[in-house]
Amino acid sequence: MATLAEVKAAIEDQAKGTQTLRDEVKKLQGDAVDRDSFAKLEALVTDLDEKRQKMETEYLAELKEAKELAEEASLKAGRRGSGTDEGPNEDQIAHKSAFVDFIRGHGTADLKHAADEAEKKALGSATGSGSGVAVPTVIAQDIQTKTNDDSVMAGLVKVVRVGTSDYKEIVDKGGMGFGWVGAGDARAATGKPDVYEVEPAMGTVYAYPEAQEEQLDDVFFDIENWLVDSARTSFANARDVAVIAGDGTKKPLGLLGTAPVADADGARADKVFQFLASGNAGTIGDADKLVELVYLTKAQYRANGRFLMNSLTTSKVRTMKDGDGRFLWADGLAVGQPATLLGYAVSTAEAMPGIAANATPIAFGDFRMAYTLVERHDLRVTRDEITKPGFVKWHIRQRLGGAPTNDDAVKFLKVAA
């Protein structure tokens, strides 16, 4: 007898095969194919879908039985389990199905009610996040994963997922004093560590994709992947801009949300970074300035340090040479290996400022120590089929917050005026 994992894998393979066939059939719509032949192809796709749905029903039945056995065993052991790790449970799959029906349908109250009820069963309770319908976990996780893959900054900074906007983080920048004494000597008080509280500024990031009504009526239109792809690009761009330049008003406070100053570590206000002046009007200076920027950063942050700049700045840096005529930039020697600058990795984020007077186009340091990005775990969507006749829009949104947490961990190179 096949295991649940094997059944799940078979269902996924069947779904991929059906999707491939759908794509091929869609290509034929513009070709000279008679109606009977096209109808037979459509019937074949429908038959495959029905067989897949049957397999999924059998899988859910097996999964439900396994879950009940697991719950029973957990209760006997004095605790309540949460199901298996094989994949989404039947309530989550039912929530996804009801959600897709709501998105594809005509926004009726019955479809929204069905999606809301499925949400309650899948989550154990309503999310309480306001109007709209919650995006199912299985789709939301796909959006989150792909968004973070597309977002440069989400891969560099610390990302925390929370269930409430009331999130605070205690930051310890070190500074605990010490002293030396001999046997029997008096012990004087030592310096206290630099500890402070950070409350990330929160805001709502949203995407507003639209589709023609005819697309939704097309059996071959993959509403799930379309929704994921529509949201991921908007959300990824929003993260990069917010983490770098957010002003903290209805959005995260970015690394450059408060202008960096020249004051050294320990002499600045919290959440304010230090800059190193390039010494050249309108340029980033020479190779010596990049070396100085690296060593302006404390050794504990250089260990995981990297450079950050946009593409145009990267094109300038790639041509820089040291005093012996050697390039500072070194391309990776193997496929997938990142390029390095002075031996440190380089990340490219287009949200970074360009080279201009008083701009800070280059950053270096440990960004995971420097910044925390806070994501609410739930996404919600509201359907709009009124404001633009013939089209349906979806207002997809998520609460997002962020703030600098350790302003010693990153330094900026500032172009002279």
Side-chain angles (χ1 to χ4, degrees), residues 108-124:
T108 66
D110 288 343
L111 289 174
K112 184 180 185 303
H113 177 72
D116 288 339
E117 289 301 311
E119 172 193 346
K120 292 177 183 178
K121 290 181 180 179
L123 302 179

Side-chain angles (χ1 to χ4, degrees), residues 356-371:
N358 290 318
T360 49
I362 299 177
F364 174 82
D366 186 342
F367 293 90
R368 195 169 301 277
M369 292 292 293
Y371 195 91

Side-chain angles (χ1 to χ4, degrees), residues 142-343:
D142 196 15
I143 292 176
Q144 294 281 35
T145 300
K146 291 181 178 179
T147 293
N148 288 338
D149 286 345
D150 290 351
S151 168
V152 175
M153 299 311 298
L156 299 183
V157 304
K158 177 182 177 182
V159 179
V160 178
R161 291 187 180 177
V162 298
T164 173
S165 297
D166 186 21
Y167 175 82
K168 297 179 177 64
E169 187 164 326
I170 302 298
V171 179
D172 180 2
K173 292 169 64 176
M176 174 68 78
F178 61 89
W180 295 94
V181 295
D185 292 346
R187 270 70 169 171
T190 59
K192 297 179 180 179
D194 186 4
V195 177
Y196 61 96
E197 182 180 84
V198 173
E199 183 175 359
M202 300 293 293
T204 299
V205 59
Y206 70 90
Y208 208 8
E210 66 178 32
Q212 291 181 324
E213 291 180 344
E214 289 79 2
Q215 284 180 282
L216 302 181
D217 294 331
D218 184 355
V219 68
F220 301 115
F221 181 55
D222 191 337
I223 187 70
E224 180 183 339
N225 284 334
W226 176 84
L227 190 67
V228 169
D229 290 339
S230 297
R232 65 186 287 189
T233 301
S234 298
F235 284 6
N237 291 338
R239 278 162 171 72
D240 285 350
V241 172
V243 171
I244 292 173
D247 60 11
T249 302
K250 299 180 182 179
K251 64 177 72 69
L253 177 65
L255 295 163
L256 295 172
T258 303
V261 298
D263 299 333
D265 294 349
R268 304 185 305 277
D270 295 334
K271 297 185 286 189
V272 178
F273 292 90
Q274 181 182 9
F275 73 76
L276 172 68
S278 71
N280 291 272
T283 72
I284 57 177
D286 56 19
D288 291 345
K289 282 298 175 182
L290 293 181
V291 174
E292 190 177 347
L293 181 68
V294 169
Y295 287 96
L296 184 64
T297 310
K298 293 177 181 177
Q300 66 210 67
Y301 306 123
R302 293 201 303 269
N304 294 311
R306 66 171 54 234
F307 285 95
L308 180 69
M309 60 193 80
N310 68 23
S311 294
L312 288 177
T313 303
T314 299
S315 69
K316 300 292 184 183
V317 172
R318 285 183 67 105
T319 63
M320 295 178 71
K321 300 178 181 179
D322 63 16
D324 296 324
R326 294 172 299 189
F327 285 102
L328 305 182
W329 185 281
D331 289 318
L333 299 178
V335 176
Q337 186 177 21
T340 60
L341 176 61
L342 296 173

Side-chain angles (χ1 to χ4, degrees), residues 56-115:
E56 188 168 312
T57 300
E58 293 173 352
Y59 164 70
L60 290 176
E62 293 285 345
L63 182 61
K64 183 177 181 181
E65 182 181 354
K67 183 180 178 182
E68 288 173 350
L69 291 173
E71 293 288 354
E72 182 180 353
S74 296
L75 289 172
K76 287 181 180 179
R79 62 188 183 278
R80 185 170 183 82
S82 58
T84 69
D85 293 329
E86 297 279 350
N89 60 38
E90 66 269 26
D91 289 334
Q92 291 172 330
I93 293 176
H95 183 202
K96 172 184 171 182
S97 178
F99 175 81
V100 171
D101 287 343
F102 168 75
I103 292 296
R104 188 183 288 277
H106 295 283
T108 66
D110 288 343
L111 289 174
K112 184 180 185 303
H113 177 72

